[in-house]
Structures are given as C-alpha cells and as structure tokens.
Amino acid sequence: MPPKFKRHLDEQRVHLMGDAESDGDDVVHHQREAKGPQKGDDPLARVQGQVTEVIGVMQTNINKVLDRGDRLEDLQDKTDDLAMGALTFHKSATKLQKKMWWKNMKMRLCFILIILIAIGVIVVPIVVTNKSKATSNDAVAP
C-alpha cells in the first residue's frame, strides 16, 4: 500500500477516534446535566449504548483496514522481491544457455576436426601411393 494512503488512513483513524471519544461523551454528558435526572434517561442511555457500540465497531473496522493495508504492503514487498528474483534467474538462465551452446559448438567442431584428420590420415597415403604407382607405371611402360 502506498505510504500516502497509509498516512491518510492513520490521520483519519486519529480524527475519528479522537472525535468519537471526546465529542460524543461531552455532548451526552452536557445533555444529561441540562435535563437533569428524568424519565427520558432510559432511552438516552439506550441511544448512548448504541452509539458506543457503533463507535467500537467503527474502531474495529478501522483497525482491520489498517492491518489489511499493512498486510498488503508486505505482500507488495514480497511480490517485488519475487519479481527481482525472477529477473535475476532469467538473466542467469540466459547466460548459462549461451555458455552451454558455445561449449556444445566447440565439442562439435572438435569432433569434425578429428574426423577430417582421420579421413586425411587414411586418404592421403592411399592417394600418394596410387599417384606414385601411376607415375612409376608411366615411366616403365615405354
């Protein structure tokens, strides 16, 4: 979660919690002092209980949203780390693939060179022998 969003939620949490705890209690307390003890205190107490319950639920929800934001930030960090790891792995794999390709080509070239040398060792003496026989036959024939 972006830090700006988290800061905004923290400020909102302080604002809501501060207003709900101080202003709500002051208003109810002020109303009770103005009216004095009357029969109407029972509905007022019931409403105050409901307001307190709603405030508690709101504070719980705000805390859950902030915790969720923290978990989202952690998840985002882990995602970034995995993305960097994947990029590093991809680069390493590509580098290794190129290295192995060159190694394979060197082996092929060595085998081709060995085969050509073997062919040369076998063919060159045969050709030289045949050529010398042909020249010796031409010299003896007249």
Side-chain angles (χ1 to χ4, degrees):
M1 181 179 304
K4 182 179 178 183
F5 180 69
K6 184 177 179 184
R7 183 176 52 244
H8 176 69
L9 284 177
D10 288 339
E11 291 171 359
Q12 192 176 23
R13 177 181 177 190
V14 169
H15 177 71
L16 286 175
M17 290 175 68
D19 288 350
E21 290 175 356
S22 63
D23 293 344
D25 291 342
D26 291 343
V27 170
V28 171
H29 184 64
H30 179 67
Q31 287 177 349
R32 284 185 182 170
E33 286 178 355
K35 290 185 176 181
Q38 297 177 355
K39 266 188 165 181
D41 280 345
D42 187 45
L44 184 62
R46 185 171 34 101
V47 170
Q48 176 60 32
Q50 289 175 345
V51 167
T52 304
E53 183 180 337
V54 169
I55 289 172
V57 169
M58 286 177 55
Q59 289 174 347
T60 302
N61 289 342
I62 289 171
N63 287 334
K64 286 180 181 178
V65 166
L66 291 175
D67 291 341
R68 180 177 177 261
D70 291 340
R71 288 193 311 268
L72 284 175
E73 284 181 7
D74 292 342
L75 186 61
Q76 182 66 37
D77 291 342
K78 289 178 183 178
T79 303
D80 292 341
D81 291 343
L82 282 174
M84 291 301 294
L87 183 63
T88 303
F89 174 77
H90 180 70
K91 287 180 180 179
S92 299
T94 303
K95 186 177 179 181
L96 181 63
Q97 183 181 17
K98 288 179 181 179
K99 181 180 176 183
M100 294 307 292
W101 184 84
W102 278 111
K103 187 175 181 179
N104 190 20
M105 288 305 291
K106 288 176 185 177
M107 289 297 291
R108 286 183 183 178
L109 290 174
C110 286
F111 284 135
I112 291 171
L113 185 62
I114 290 171
I115 290 171
L116 289 175
I117 290 173
I119 291 172
V121 167
I122 294 170
V123 171
V124 168
I126 293 172
V127 169
V128 169
T129 307
N130 287 339
K131 195 174 194 182
S132 64
K133 283 183 184 181
T135 56
S136 65
N137 286 342
D138 288 339
V140 176

